[in-house]
Amino acid sequence: MGDKRQKNQLELAFVWGGRGEAPNDQRKGTESSMARHESERLAESEQLMEMVCEPKNLKQALKRVKTNGGSPGIDGMRVEELGKWLIGNWNGLRAKLLNGRYDPQPVKRVEIAKPDGGTRKLGVPTVIDRFVQQAVLQVLQRSWEPTFSESSYGFRPGRSAHGAVEKAQEYVAEGRRWVIDIDLEKFFDTVHQDRLMARVAVRVRDKRMLGLIRGFLKSGVLEGGLVSSTEEGTPQGGPLSPLLSNIVLDELDRELEKRGHKFVRYADDCNVYVKSERAGQRVMASLRRLITTRLRLKINENKSAVAKPYQRKFLGFSVTSHRTPKRRIAPKALERFKERIRTLTSRMRGRTLSAVISELNTYLNGWRGYFGFCETPSVLRELDGWVRRRLRCYLWKQWKTIRRRRTELLRLNVPQTWARSLAASSKGAWHISDVLSRFLPPEYFDSLHLVRLARPA
């Protein structure tokens, strides 16, 4: 009942101020239909902030922010508190937005581990800033999204990493057996803000909107108790950052299309597919000039190369070298998988088997949801076997003493002679885990609801 009352109050707050924020010109018959249409388009471009503040847009933004969750920003406000805050403060927030006086707060710096090592710096905006960014994103996206390249897959509605990988596979199958693999170094941290704002201003004439976007870019970063300015880059972590990154890199997409290249781009990962090494080296040289000179970005030379597609990875996948290439999991992704499983099944954690399996299932479900897209099921079956062997090894180490091991083996219906021999064996746990596969088969772990990566045939 309380939630329903709060929802009604919030809706009333969003509707405050009357229907429609833009001035309504009632004059009729003084313009041709074409002139009126052009006038409406100009008015829409100049009054984007009114569109941001429309109740329908705000409700959608609030729902998205709540769904995405996330940790608090520098003010400590949690996502669950946003709705209540808006009920009491929406009128003031709305006035600031419409007057062009909204001042974004600095983002909180956090670091997350990269899959390939090192750390990635993220900026966590306050919940209120996330709400405003989401509302702005939904309005700007209507204008830009339909015009982005068909070869761009990152951070776009209805598109995914799987779609990008599948398109790349299609190009290789067509006979384009060389790839120019471009990785942009610290892309989000090095975006030239003035160039970005110039591109935004081509379609946005609402000075309040332009000022707000620049405010988000220059809001600063709180790190180690000190706020530092952000003169370049688009801080990762806010809803608006992905769209801004696509606006920047749309220039790269258009140039590649103009030159007739077959390519796939996902965020700052871009692969161009050609038919010969010579063509690849030529394209790499021209792209290096384009990216460093015109876009004012930097290529990570250590991670970029001209090579055979099966020698490279793209979004965690690679392809086989067959005439009809198949999607396979990249070797580094398999290494990271095993590292994570080793951590979860470490004896030093002192967890029960059921607790370990519960943690494993959370990871395995997510991993399967992404990498199950591969076309090499034998690899998934091998990983299933390896995970179960790790668990048998985990159990053996947990049992510790000869007496405990003999007791547990007898419970598994191991013959007494074998049980005594195995319990007293000086062989390592990994060797014993292979022997135990006869008494702890995959079906045993199925009964404990352990997730399988390989789906039933």
Side-chain angles (χ1 to χ4, degrees):
M1 190 71 179
D3 291 341
K4 185 176 181 180
R5 186 182 299 112
Q6 180 171 319
K7 181 180 178 182
N8 292 336
Q9 289 176 324
L10 189 55
E11 289 180 354
L12 287 173
F14 282 161
V15 174
W16 185 91
R19 295 175 60 85
E21 312 289 353
N24 186 16
D25 191 348
Q26 299 296 331
R27 292 174 299 169
K28 297 181 180 180
T30 59
E31 298 177 290
S32 69
S33 60
M34 180 175 294
R36 191 160 54 246
H37 178 65
E38 290 300 319
S39 177
E40 289 171 356
R41 288 183 59 187
L42 179 60
E44 182 176 290
S45 174
E46 292 178 339
Q47 297 183 0
L48 292 177
M49 199 61 75
E50 280 76 12
M51 297 171 64
V52 168
C53 293
E54 287 179 355
K56 183 178 179 181
N57 186 59
L58 295 170
K59 293 173 191 174
Q60 183 181 349
L62 178 60
K63 182 178 179 181
R64 176 58 64 183
V65 170
K66 287 183 174 180
T67 300
N68 290 341
S71 60
I74 64 171
D75 62 355
M77 181 187 291
R78 302 189 305 273
V79 171
E80 311 87 71
E81 301 173 288
L82 177 60
K84 184 177 180 180
W85 185 91
L86 286 172
I87 291 172
N89 296 274
W90 166 241
N91 291 338
L93 175 59
R94 174 181 175 277
K96 289 181 180 179
L97 291 172
L98 294 177
N99 293 331
R101 296 177 180 174
Y102 183 79
D103 189 18
Q105 296 189 63
V107 298
K108 182 173 67 175
R109 175 71 79 205
V110 296
E111 294 185 354
I112 62 171
K114 286 185 177 181
D116 296 332
T119 59
R120 175 180 286 111
K121 292 185 176 181
L122 297 182
V124 180
T126 66
V127 174
I128 300 169
D129 281 345
R130 295 210 290 270
F131 168 69
V132 174
Q133 283 195 37
Q134 182 63 39
V136 169
L137 168 67
Q138 291 164 183
V139 170
L140 295 183
Q141 210 166 40
R142 299 171 200 166
S143 173
W144 261 282
E145 175 57 31
T147 66
F148 283 144
S149 170
E150 286 296 313
S151 297
S152 168
Y153 287 83
F155 312 125
R156 297 183 61 191
R159 289 173 167 254
S160 67
H162 285 172
V165 171
E166 196 168 29
K167 192 64 179 180
Q169 179 187 10
E170 180 183 316
Y171 288 142
V172 177
E174 290 174 356
R176 300 176 186 279
R177 299 292 171 133
W178 287 88
V179 60
I180 301 97
D181 185 356
I182 300 290
D183 184 89
L184 299 178
E185 185 171 350
K186 297 182 179 178
F187 166 70
F188 286 92
D189 296 330
T190 57
V191 167
H192 194 279
Q193 292 181 358
D194 288 339
R195 293 195 79 259
L196 168 58
M197 291 306 303
R199 291 188 65 81
V200 173
V202 171
R203 299 191 197 180
V204 175
R205 300 194 180 189
D206 190 327
K207 293 182 179 180
R208 298 165 300 174
M209 178 68 80
L210 293 173
L212 179 60
I213 294 173
R214 188 173 285 278
F216 281 122
L217 292 175
K218 294 189 174 299
S219 61
V221 176
L222 177 65
E223 187 173 17
L226 299 175
V227 175
S228 57
S229 60
T230 47
E231 299 301 324
E232 62 178 5
T234 59
Q236 294 185 73
L240 195 55
S241 182
L243 174 65
L244 296 179
S245 71
N246 274 331
I247 291 174
V248 171
L249 292 175
D250 187 56
E251 187 174 354
L252 172 62
D253 297 341
R254 296 307 172 190
E255 188 63 31
L256 289 172
E257 289 177 340
K258 180 180 176 182
R259 299 180 185 185
H261 292 309
K262 302 296 184 181
F263 70 98
V264 181
R265 182 178 65 78
Y266 191 96
D268 54 342
D269 288 332
C270 183
N271 280 6
V272 184
Y273 294 87
V274 295
K275 294 186 176 181
S276 69
E277 182 178 14
R278 183 177 179 182
Q281 296 294 351
R282 184 177 66 251
V283 171
M284 173 65 92
S286 65
L287 287 180
R288 187 177 283 110
R289 289 192 297 271
L290 168 67
I291 291 170
T292 57
T293 304
R294 191 190 302 182
L295 298 184
R296 300 190 188 181
L297 298 171
K298 187 177 181 181
I299 292 178
N300 187 330
E301 299 292 349
N302 293 329
K303 294 184 177 181
S304 303
V306 176
K308 292 285 189 179
Y310 60 82
Q311 296 173 330
R312 306 296 294 178
K313 66 179 179 68
F314 181 52
L315 303 177
F317 291 91
S318 185
V319 293
T320 63
S321 58
H322 300 103
R323 182 183 296 272
T324 302
K326 293 184 177 181
R327 294 185 298 273
R328 66 184 181 93
I329 304 169
K332 284 189 176 181
L334 293 175
E335 290 175 14
R336 291 195 296 271
F337 172 84
K338 290 192 171 184
E339 287 174 6
R340 181 60 177 158
I341 298 300
R342 288 189 184 101
T343 299
L344 292 176
T345 57
S346 169
R347 183 181 63 126
M348 303 303 293
R349 302 183 70 221
R351 307 286 297 251
T352 63
L353 182 62
S354 60
V356 170
I357 288 178
S358 178
E359 287 184 299
L360 281 173
N361 283 345
T362 299
Y363 178 71
L364 293 174
N365 271 319
W367 197 89
R368 183 180 65 181
Y370 185 76
F371 287 103
F373 187 62
C374 74
E375 296 177 314
T376 51
S378 61
V379 173
L380 298 181
R381 288 193 291 270
E382 289 175 8
L383 291 177
D384 274 334
W386 183 81
V387 170
R388 280 146 184 77
R389 187 169 180 180
R390 284 287 309 179
L391 287 175
R392 290 194 292 269
C393 188
Y394 183 84
L395 280 174
W396 187 252
K397 290 179 178 179
Q398 267 200 337
W399 293 340
K400 292 184 180 179
T401 66
I402 293 177
R403 176 180 293 181
R404 172 77 185 279
R405 288 172 175 173
R406 183 173 64 247
T407 301
E408 296 295 342
L409 290 171
L410 291 173
R411 286 180 182 174
L412 294 173
N413 296 320
V414 177
Q416 283 195 5
T417 305
W418 281 28
R420 285 196 299 270
S421 175
L422 277 175
S425 174
S426 60
K427 298 285 187 180
W430 189 247
H431 173 84
I432 298 296
S433 66
D434 187 39
V435 178
L436 287 178
S437 62
R438 176 175 176 179
F439 308 103
L440 292 171
E443 292 73 20
Y444 170 79
F445 294 103
D446 289 343
S447 70
L448 299 177
H449 308 292
L450 178 65
V451 166
R452 286 193 186 221
L453 297 175
R455 301 183 186 277

